[in-house]
């Protein structure tokens, strides 16, 4: 059921560059294997790689390699997320990727250790910024390529809005990053991160999806406005089932879906959670990717992103004492069936062509059919 989880410790509170806590990962790795998680996502912030002085970056990468060593010893796969710009619902961007003036209409950004309202730049329109990203990716690859624990790379994780670059530019950027990775490790799996909003405007991702081994769907820190919900985990997982199934059908690629925001309010009634989990298990996507692996310590919990959302510091799979929460073990009892039968998609009553002609209309309508089915 839960295929993977994001481990945020390598960014140490996001506002500074420090080596990750390898000992904590070593403790958690055995539990990860027992819970049958296949993979841990390790975000590597672009702002961390671009940090100055560069000796801090070297220390950071050395610490990242120690974490990979611990995962490798436990036979747990790692998926690196290079040039990460968003962690647990918060944009974390270097100075060259945001506008210079605060804008109250813009979203919050963690900028040089402070929360500000700044507009991200459309970096894909500026060749110099594309080249800078590629150089930082090359630096990360030079440090970790060949490590046996690294099996996949999650690239361009929600790096642009659904209406972002034109298809030619998007493919050029994707192919350039993929070529950097594949030239050093031809067996590496390539994953791309997209938002649920890409299902509402799917044309761009339809053109890119076949170049990837897997898709990771996220973004439920901001629920669709047309969803009536109380914010519970069971409600979130019901929606996750819809989004994952629709993405598999629409993009024809293996898909995993980020979940766990509903756990900010606690797991909720066990019978509701068990019913939704049993329904998820047969839907045909790869499984859940949990928003956090280990709850933060009190010092981290008082910092962004955890302090910005009540309960986010308690939404991870494991407690800070590195113990699995009871509801996690219950979820993990439901096996994943990534090749489920056709009945999993019975709620879809249109062709892909009809969906693409009116995606906004069908996106909402099909949710109601799925929910009530």
């Amino acid at each position: 059921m839960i295929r993977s989880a994001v481990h945020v410790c390598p960014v140490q509170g996001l506002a500074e560059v420090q080596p990750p806590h390898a000992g904590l990962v070593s403790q958690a790795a055995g539990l990860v294997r027992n819970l049958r998680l296949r993979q841990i996502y390790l975000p590597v912030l672009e702002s961390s790689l671009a940090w100055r002085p560069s000796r801090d970056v070297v220390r950071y990468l050395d610490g990242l390699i120690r974490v990979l060593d611990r995962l490798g010893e436990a036979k747990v796969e790692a998926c690196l997320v290079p040039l990460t710009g968003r962690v647990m619902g918060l944009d974390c961007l270097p100075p060259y990727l945001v506008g210079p003036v605060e804008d109250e209409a813009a979203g919050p950004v963690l900028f040089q250790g402070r929360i500000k309202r700044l507009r991200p730049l459309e970096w894909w329109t500026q060749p110099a910024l594309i080249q800078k990203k590629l150089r930082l990716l090359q630096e990360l690859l030079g440090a970790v390529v060949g490590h046996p624990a690294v099996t996949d790379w999650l690239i361009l994780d929600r790096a642009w809005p659904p209406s972002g670059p034109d298809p030619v530019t998007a493919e050029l950027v994707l192919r350039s990053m993929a070529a950097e990775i594949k030239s050093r490790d031809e067996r590496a799996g390539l994953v791309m991160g997209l938002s649920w909003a890409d299902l509402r405007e799917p044309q761009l991702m339809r053109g890119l999806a076949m170049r990837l081994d897997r898709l990771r769907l996220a973004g439920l820190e901001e629920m669709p406005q047309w969803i009536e919900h109380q914010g519970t985990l069971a409600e979130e997982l019901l929606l996750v089932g819809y989004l994952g199934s629709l993405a598999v059908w629409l993009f024809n690629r293996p898909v995993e879906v980020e979940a766990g925001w509903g756990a900010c309010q606690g797991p909720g009634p066990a019978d509701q959670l068990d019913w939704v989990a049993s329904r998820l298990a047969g839907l045909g996507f790869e499984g859940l990717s949990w928003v956090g692996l280990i709850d933060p310590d009190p010092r981290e919990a008082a910092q962004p992103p955890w302090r910005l959302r009540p309960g986010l510091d308690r939404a991870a799979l494991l407690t800070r004492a590195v113990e699995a929460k009871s509801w996690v073990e219950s979820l993990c009892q439901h096996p994943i069936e990534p090749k489920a039968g056709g009945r999993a998609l019975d709620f879809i009553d249109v062709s892909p062509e009809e969906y693409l002609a009116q995606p906004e209309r069908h996106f909402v309508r099909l949710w109601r059919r799925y929910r009530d089915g």
Side-chain angles (χ1 to χ4, degrees), residues 4 19 21 40 47 70 84 108 118 143-144 162 165 219 234 259-261 263 274:
S4 63
H21 193 322
I40 299 300
S47 54
R70 300 298 184 273
T84 301
L118 300 168
V144 305
W261 296 98
D274 189 65

Side-chain angles (χ1 to χ4, degrees), residues 1-5 32 35-39 256 286-291 317 327-336:
M1 172 61 61
I2 303 177
R3 183 191 185 280
S4 63
V32 165
L35 292 171
R36 292 181 287 183
L37 271 67
R38 289 179 49 189
Q39 201 167 59
E256 60 181 324
E286 292 291 300
L288 305 180
S289 181
W290 212 257
V291 68
L317 299 176
W327 54 268
V328 172
E329 295 177 347
S330 175
L331 275 181
C332 290
Q333 290 174 1
H334 295 273
I336 300 171

Side-chain angles (χ1 to χ4, degrees), residues 43-241:
V44 182
L45 286 176
E46 181 166 350
S47 54
S48 297
L49 293 174
W51 191 275
R52 292 296 178 267
S54 58
R55 64 176 178 273
D56 290 341
V57 180
V58 173
R59 288 176 56 245
Y60 170 75
L61 292 175
D62 286 345
L64 179 60
I65 291 170
R66 287 194 295 274
V67 165
L68 293 173
D69 290 341
R70 300 298 184 273
L71 292 176
E73 291 164 2
K75 295 181 170 47
V76 176
E77 296 178 2
C79 178
L80 290 184
V81 191
L83 310 177
T84 301
R86 188 171 180 84
V87 174
M88 300 189 83
L90 177 63
D91 285 335
C92 311
L93 300 171
Y96 55 83
L97 289 183
V98 292
V101 179
E102 290 203 63
D103 183 346
E104 287 302 315
V109 175
L110 184 64
F111 179 79
Q112 297 180 331
R114 298 176 59 192
I115 299 293
K116 295 188 175 184
R117 292 194 172 274
L118 300 168
R119 288 197 179 277
L121 299 180
E122 296 183 350
W123 57 268
W124 54 89
T125 66
Q126 301 185 36
L129 291 181
I130 295 175
Q131 290 302 315
K132 185 176 182 67
K133 285 177 172 284
L134 290 174
R135 287 195 299 271
L136 293 174
L137 176 59
Q138 291 164 359
E139 180 179 347
L140 176 61
L141 283 163
V144 305
V145 73
H147 196 291
V150 181
T151 58
D152 295 333
W153 293 74
L154 172 58
I155 56 177
L156 296 168
D157 183 26
R158 291 171 287 168
W160 48 55
S163 58
D166 62 85
V168 173
T169 300
E171 183 163 345
L172 175 62
V173 173
L174 175 59
R175 291 180 65 177
S176 297
M177 291 193 173
E180 292 291 346
I181 295 168
K182 288 290 192 178
S183 66
R184 292 167 171 81
D185 183 359
E186 61 182 13
R187 295 180 299 176
L190 295 179
V191 189
M192 187 168 176
L194 62 155
S195 166
W196 61 261
D198 286 292
L199 299 173
R200 195 175 57 192
E201 300 180 58
Q203 288 81 1
L204 181 59
M205 275 306 305
R206 284 265 294 187
L208 300 176
M210 296 310 295
R211 296 191 174 277
L212 301 153
D213 298 299
R214 187 172 79 247
L215 302 175
R216 183 178 187 273
L217 185 65
L220 286 179
E221 64 268 27
E222 298 176 8
M223 295 280 279
Q225 293 182 352
W226 39 265
I227 294 287
E228 296 181 4
H229 66 96
Q230 304 297 319
T232 68
L233 183 55
E235 288 174 323
E236 180 193 11
L237 293 182
L238 187 66
L239 178 58
V240 160

